[in-house]
Amino acid sequence: MNKELTYLETEPLTAEREWVSDGMVVLHASVRVPRPVPSTGGVFRRVRRYYQLQSQAFFRYCQRELLPQAAAEYAAALAYSRPLPDFHAELDYHVTYNEGGFWSLYTQSRETGPGGTLLVRRGDTWDLGAGYPVPAAKFFSGAGPLRKALLSAAETEIQRRQAAGAGLWREDWRRGLRRFYNPDNYYLTEDGFAFFYPMLSIAPASAGIPVFTLPYRKEPLRAPENA
């Protein structure tokens, strides 16, 4: 434990892999995840190991799920003299908050192929004093209002954007807000508590990852220290 650790300095840890079928590269994947500096100490080792495992899991996913698709598409393209497909995948990160003993970020994968692009985002917020990720409920008063507060904030924001003619939404977006709600899909920012929904869950692919921000001054949200 390190109660005096108020921010976390990191540098990128990068890696790349290529998969070959019949002598041709059919899939390329790259990873860029955070690595704490220095690399010693309990919190630093735990964070480093966490993202090393995430990186390894991403490469395994690429080999297990994406490689068979890529190899089949390449074989079909060669058989029918079609243009060769371009398959690649990447995992990257963006730090969104780093003060007052909290370190928050999201990692996001991007898969690109003939069918288009798929984005998958994951949010993490670490309590640097305890050395572990913290649940969203930590920043809300009481256990009950979390889901209600976030669903209400998202609905209000969507209605505001619709009234302003901004953004595109699925016709069943209200159902999607409830169905795809996940309290782990959040991260902290300087402006407030940001929570997000999976791509295609409440909006078309062109909208990417729908994100909503609840300002720290808004009840029942509790601001992190120094926010």
Side-chain angles (χ1 to χ4, degrees), residues 51-115:
Y51 292 103
Q52 283 178 337
L53 291 175
Q54 189 180 48
S55 173
Q56 294 165 9
F58 180 70
F59 281 137
R60 287 196 299 269
Y61 166 78
C62 290
Q63 180 165 333
R64 184 181 66 250
E65 302 293 338
L66 302 185
L67 178 58
Q69 301 175 34
E73 289 281 352
Y74 263 81
L78 291 173
Y80 295 99
S81 300
R82 296 199 300 254
L84 294 178
D86 180 21
F87 275 92
H88 59 272
E90 62 183 52
L91 177 66
D92 205 345
Y93 74 97
H94 179 68
V95 176
T96 58
Y97 193 87
N98 191 13
E99 59 181 277
F102 291 100
W103 183 62
S104 196
L105 71 158
Y106 64 81
T107 54
Q108 183 166 289
S109 64
R110 177 187 297 267
E111 303 170 20
T112 304

Side-chain angles (χ1 to χ4, degrees), residues 10 12-13 30-35 47-48 50-58 90-96 103-110 118-126 184-188 196-198 209 211:
T10 62
L13 173 65
S30 62
V31 162
R32 179 179 176 271
V33 293
R35 175 171 53 187
V47 171
R48 183 182 72 241
Y50 183 91
Y51 292 103
Q52 283 178 337
L53 291 175
Q54 189 180 48
S55 173
Q56 294 165 9
F58 180 70
E90 62 183 52
L91 177 66
D92 205 345
Y93 74 97
H94 179 68
V95 176
T96 58
W103 183 62
S104 196
L105 71 158
Y106 64 81
T107 54
Q108 183 166 289
S109 64
R110 177 187 297 267
L118 176 65
L119 304 176
V120 178
R121 181 173 294 185
R122 174 175 179 165
D124 293 315
T125 297
W126 293 76
D184 294 332
N185 287 352
Y186 89 95
Y187 47 86
L188 305 180
F196 58 93
Y197 277 81
I209 304 288
V211 182

Side-chain angles (χ1 to χ4, degrees), residues 140 145-155 181 193 195 197 214:
F140 286 79
L146 174 60
R147 176 185 170 92
K148 180 179 179 181
L150 297 187
L151 291 180
S152 176
E155 182 171 354
Y181 168 77
F193 179 97
F195 61 103
Y197 277 81
L214 193 62

Side-chain angles (χ1 to χ4, degrees), residues 1-6 40-44 46 101 127-131:
M1 307 297 177
N2 189 343
K3 295 296 183 181
E4 297 181 356
L5 188 59
T6 59
T40 58
V43 175
F44 300 100
R46 195 171 295 121
D127 181 333
L128 299 179

